Amino acid sequence: MDEFVNLKETELRLGLPGTDNVSEEIERVSCNKRALQGDTENETESSMMKTETCPPRKAQIVGWPPVRSSRKNIIQTKKNESDSEGGRGVYVKVSMDGAPYLRKIDLSCYKGYKELLKALEIMFNFSVGEYFEREGYKGSDFVPTYEDKDGDWMLIGDVPWEMFVCTCKRLRIMKGSEAKGLGCGV
Amino acid sequence: MNYFPDEVIEHVFDFVTSHKDRHSISLVCKSWFKIERYSRQNVFIGNCYAINPERLLRRFPCFKSLTLKGKPHFADFNLVPHGWGGFVQPWIEALARSRVGLEELRLKRMVVTDESLELLSRSFVNFKSLVLVSCEGFSTDGLASIASNCRHLQDLDLQENEIDDHRGQWLSCFPETYTSLVTLNFACLEGETNLVALERLVARSPNLRSLKLNRAVPLDALARLMACAPQIVDLGVGSYEDEQDSESCLKLQAAIRKCTSLRSLSGFLEAAPHCLSAFHPVCHNLTSLNLSYAAEIHGSHLIKLIEHCKKLQRIGDKGLEVVASTCKELQELRVFPTDLQGGGNTAVTEDGLVAISAGCPKLHSILYFCQQMTNAALITVAKNCPNFIRFRLCILEPHKPDHVTSQPLDEGFGAIVQACKNLKRLSVSGLLTDQVFLYIGMYATELEMLSIAFAGDTDKGMLYVLNGCKKMRKLEIRDSPFGDAALLADVNKYETMRSLWMSSCEVTLGGCKRLARKAPWLNVEIINENDNNRMEENGYEGRQKVDKLYLYRTVVGTRVDAPPFVWIL
């Protein structure tokens, strides 16, 4: 390896005061045991670009802001949990009454109930009927429900989508007489 | 000089406890030096490489408590590579060989192994107190040794360490006959806890005052623990998830009501907001509240909690205006960022800081992360709170100017150092020119620790500080344009300081070598992570910029445990 090339790589350019974020192009050697996931990686620019799903990402600097890794992880975890769209995969089990096995879907892939229900209909080959605020789902023997953080079985569609993604632990598509009890309008 | 027998002088010295004062009295005369030596109980070593165990023991043969610090402060932010140093093993080995009756060991940023802990636990019959802060290199097996062998242990305090959790049974290693526990803090352990063993331990520890749990201790266990330990003064709640079990919540409330001595609350590592209300009955007694690890708590719940806390002296977290209006006794405040990227709607700005300074006249220590700042705000803060001892401000975006005037923040920080005559620790940030350092050098006469990042224009900045701050002990600088001229201007200055850290500055290898030659009583370390190769001697040497420089005074020369990527000149 050319010693001079190495030098170039480690030579740090310092921005004058007032210029934009300094982004260091240092190679992080993995002998730093404390580099945990979620810690800094080097990204160039793109701080001005707002994408649809991601919040603006500024160039990250090694060891900045001066916050311990353990705290950074907590902040990162909290952020990931509250990023419903485009965030980390929110995988939940889906069961259908009478089906031999369960499936798993990633809620963060969907933008709303419509998409989710469509995906479920395709996956389990059924039809979900129409949603009414008062009466629930009409026109089908199947009712889509979910278990929330409190352990209660709720009708899909009542709460805002973001809240649903945060509180949903698993899905269950109820069928037949049991489903009727949830307010099928019969 | 002496009109009293030695025993009388020694007795008088017993009342002198601070390290600085003991150092001062040891300098008075030979006789006092000798008396002080033999009666010194607590030894504080701020840099474990400034001295070695043999010399320590030669001077202080009778001490009971040792405090050792290892890595430089910036190691907290991953700027010091793994394996750099700070090993405690040689110290424990040397102490074990000697006749020192060690009772307390306090370590910060050191590498501790299970072997060290085992040796420690077997070597000192009266060992009472182990405090490990930001250490690494050990596992719960080491804790098991401590638990098994230290019959008289009172304190086991683990703060923010990286511990390999083997999910073993270390808690059950405390013998059934062991009842002297006073402090138990294992909040930083990641793994499962043996809850049964924990409950039994707490139940048989009538002297237990401080208990800090990890996230694996759920709500119902907490309720049982508090029922066993109503005398608790300092509590760190582990996992506080809102379980369906409302019975647990009721039990917890009942138990908490009995904890009339509770003064300090922390943890809530996984917090469920509505159960916070269980603590409301004791809030009015709280003097310290640290919610900085409680990512889940939202503003309204926090506000309710704080509103109940009239006596708060220490707090860490958001809800600043509430804090300002409620906590008149507040002395220390830490506000951490909720969004590391900056931006976002949970912005903490200069308004919060001004509100705090106006509402909390007793505030003396602050660590404040924010999006933006203005000179006007800092000037107001300086007027409101001239009593700051520690002022650490971190504006998340480097080089960010006053967001109203677009000026550098020199005047704002200048006002702080001018008004706060007792300022001992300062961290600056935002857009700063050499001017701010002129102010710091001129006014910050008591300043002992200064942290600089992305600041200054020329060597003059650093020179102002080195020339002006007579009491400077630790100077840490990163990403600032200070170079050899500043580094070499006054070599003897470094003898009056504990250490200097400079990373990503303009210092060259040639400059560092010149410094090392001029000052053989300094260890000048170049930390170069790339390739484990030392920087070559030929050709570009003089102009080669040094990535990380760490220098410190020492009486024992070059250390022998440096890894390959550390080059000591």
Side-chain angles (χ1 to χ4, degrees), chain B residues 408-443:
Chain B
L409 291 169
D410 300 333
E411 298 307 311
F413 280 106
I416 294 282
V417 292
Q418 204 174 348
C420 303
K421 310 255 187 274
N422 295 322
L423 195 67
K424 288 207 171 120
R425 182 169 180 182
L426 177 65
S427 300
V428 296
S429 57
L431 181 63
L432 296 166
T433 71
D434 288 343
Q435 185 71 9
V436 71
F437 300 113
L438 175 66
Y439 291 141
I440 292 174
M442 253 187 347
Y443 297 113

Side-chain angles (χ1 to χ4, degrees), chain B residues 46 78 369 376 514 516 530:
Chain B
N78 298 339
F369 286 83
R514 279 207 300 285
N530 294 318

Side-chain angles (χ1 to χ4, degrees), chain A residues 117-159:
Chain A
L117 291 171
K118 194 104 206 109
L120 289 175
E121 282 177 328
I122 294 170
M123 195 181 259
F124 287 100
N125 199 15
F126 74 106
S127 182
V128 87
E130 211 184 312
Y131 173 77
F132 290 91
E133 209 181 302
R134 290 260 177 82
E135 300 97 334
Y137 288 87
K138 271 163 105 163
S140 166
D141 266 351
F142 296 94
V143 180
T145 66
Y146 70 100
E147 185 185 5
D148 74 354
K149 273 191 175 161
D150 298 327
D152 298 318
W153 286 96
M154 317 285 293
L155 188 69
I156 289 183
D158 286 335
V159 301

Side-chain angles (χ1 to χ4, degrees), chain B residues 252-478:
Chain B
L252 181 63
Q253 281 181 26
I256 289 172
R257 240 181 226 105
K258 296 216 179 82
C259 297
T260 52
S261 305
L262 192 61
R263 294 287 173 274
S264 163
L265 197 56
S266 62
F268 297 95
L269 303 168
E270 284 166 25
H274 8 286
C275 277
L276 275 187
S277 54
F279 281 97
H280 287 177
V282 289
C283 275
H284 63 275
N285 284 328
L286 289 184
T287 57
S288 170
L289 179 64
N290 182 355
L291 298 172
S292 54
Y293 279 100
E296 302 282 322
I297 298 185
H298 296 285
S300 53
H301 300 283
L302 178 69
I303 285 169
K304 275 214 201 75
L305 186 69
I306 292 176
E307 273 169 357
H308 283 82
C309 301
K310 305 282 180 216
K311 281 198 194 162
L312 226 45
Q313 287 177 5
R314 281 194 194 88
I315 189 173
D317 220 305
K318 343 148 202 166
L320 293 170
E321 277 171 26
V322 175
V323 171
S325 59
T326 322
C327 307
K328 296 300 165 197
E329 302 294 311
L330 194 65
Q331 294 177 16
E332 288 181 31
L333 174 67
R334 292 179 173 223
V335 178
F336 289 100
T338 49
D339 186 341
L340 294 172
Q341 300 287 328
N345 49 13
T346 52
V348 171
T349 70
E350 71 273 22
D351 295 334
L353 186 59
V354 172
I356 289 286
S357 71
C360 307
K362 295 195 181 174
L363 195 63
H364 61 61
S365 294
I366 188 162
L367 167 62
Y368 196 83
F369 286 83
C370 62
Q371 311 291 337
Q372 60 192 35
M373 189 49 59
T374 63
N375 283 310
L378 285 173
I379 291 168
T380 307
V381 168
K383 251 204 288 276
N384 291 340
C385 284
N387 298 322
F388 276 123
I389 300 175
R390 295 174 204 94
F391 187 85
R392 297 158 69 188
L393 179 65
C394 179
I395 301 162
L396 289 170
E397 190 185 318
H399 304 304
K400 189 156 187 185
D402 179 322
H403 76 92
V404 167
T405 66
S406 299
Q407 292 297 301
L409 291 169
D410 300 333
E411 298 307 311
F413 280 106
I416 294 282
V417 292
Q418 204 174 348
C420 303
K421 310 255 187 274
N422 295 322
L423 195 67
K424 288 207 171 120
R425 182 169 180 182
L426 177 65
S427 300
V428 296
S429 57
L431 181 63
L432 296 166
T433 71
D434 288 343
Q435 185 71 9
V436 71
F437 300 113
L438 175 66
Y439 291 141
I440 292 174
M442 253 187 347
Y443 297 113
T445 50
E446 299 299 307
L447 196 64
E448 294 178 5
M449 182 169 177
L450 179 61
S451 305
I452 301 171
F454 305 101
D457 300 319
T458 72
D459 285 330
K460 280 208 205 123
M462 186 167 161
L463 283 170
Y464 290 141
V465 171
L466 290 175
N467 292 335
C469 300
K470 299 296 175 204
K471 299 217 177 155
M472 184 64 65
R473 286 197 285 135
K474 287 190 283 184
L475 182 56
E476 46 186 28
I477 307 173
R478 62 165 293 177

